[in-house]
Amino acid sequence: MSSTADAPTLPKPSILDLSRSDLEREVVDSFGQSRYRAKQIWQAIHRECIADFDAITTLPKPLRSQLSERFTVDPLQKVMHLTSADGSTDKALFRLPDGELIETVLMRYTADGHRKARKTVCVSTQAGCALGCTFCATGQQGFRRQLSVGEIVAQTIFMQRIAMAEDRAEVESRQRDLGSIQGVTNVVFMGMGEPLANYNNSMAAIRAINDANGLAVGARHITLSTVGLAPQIIQLASENIQINLAVSLHAPDDETRSETMPINRRYPISVLLDACRRYVEITDRRIFFEYVLLKGQNDTVGHARKLGRLLAGLLCHVNLIPVNPTSDGPYQRTSRDDAELFQIELLRFGVPSTVRIEKGIDIDAGCGQLRERAIDAEDLGL
Ligand code: SF4
């Protein structure tokens, strides 16, 4: 008796899960093709962002069929895609092959006195998160699973298609030169999940996104954000890739930090800052400290003084982020004036800082908020 008919069909793997060298090995060893073909496939998928093997017309048809039989391209199914009222932010909610939901954000920044115009993608690295920060919608949902390399890279490719289409439309309407098409310029690993808790897949995704024959986002334009997994910060220092490291600090003392970030009980501030000092020694690179301002909780002048004392002398920059309140969360937004007072106090200790521009408030662009809204809608039968 054959049981073949009853066997569940496993979903095909995504070709985006393969590194460039894995792809080359697959194309040469399994398909008997040349390394040149592997390069064509990589460029078609990662640079031109083609979503269907059949549309890669530079490849012979039999190879396109072989690829389709073996792989899919895109592991993401779009569930929701919103654009903020001012057009600066897009947010997408995706369903993964096993039904998990993740979010990705595209933020457009116009040029200002200091920086060029840029398009930044914020990717998720885990479905849910185990670390339970109390101000974070994802943290309140619990951990579901690690994202694969392909699931991380695919988020960037989805937003790259949008960014490139916009650039091309601007060229056609003569708002920009052909030479200035650039698509996504920056990628931040700051969405759902803790990237250093999915270390190998996050690093492999960074290398794919940075690849000169693919999306080619410069390493200095890629930022990995962590809540402070001290051992992995030291591991990251030896990766020999010049990405930016952002550490979510959010409080200047263990008592306050442990209230909102349970990870602080495992790696208290002294252990975390020792790892940060080691990172700076090894890499000679500045660390960015993220500090979400929670009204009345960590945003007073007294908190700023403590933070200044902690960071004085370390090669770093502090990003102050007035919190994006969740619908049922207990926190309120710090006013612009109070944020500026905080900055002035930090400067007394020689610690530079920036108040981060708030984007996408009307489309729930805080981490995990869109998934929360989709589940609310499902609960309501919408
Ligand atoms: S802030 Fe980051 S680490 Fe903390 S719960 Fe949210 S996703 Fe996890």
Side-chain angles (χ1 to χ4, degrees), residues 129 131-133 135-136 138-139 191-194 227 367:
C129 180
L131 299 182
C133 305
F135 50 81
C136 163
T138 305
M192 299 170 75
E194 162 57 56
V227 288
C367 137

Side-chain angles (χ1 to χ4, degrees), residues 288-305:
F288 295 86
F289 286 102
E290 307 289 310
Y291 194 98
V292 171
L293 292 168
L294 308 169
K295 194 175 174 63
Q297 180 91 15
N298 68 355
D299 68 344
T300 65
V301 167
H303 288 114
R305 272 185 207 139

Side-chain angles (χ1 to χ4, degrees), residues 126 128-140 190-195 225-227 248 250 260-263 367:
Q126 298 180 311
C129 180
L131 299 182
C133 305
T134 58
F135 50 81
C136 163
T138 305
Q140 288 152 40
M190 247 180 224
M192 299 170 75
E194 162 57 56
S225 173
T226 175
V227 288
S248 299
H250 303 326
T260 53
M261 304 177 73
I263 189 72
C367 137

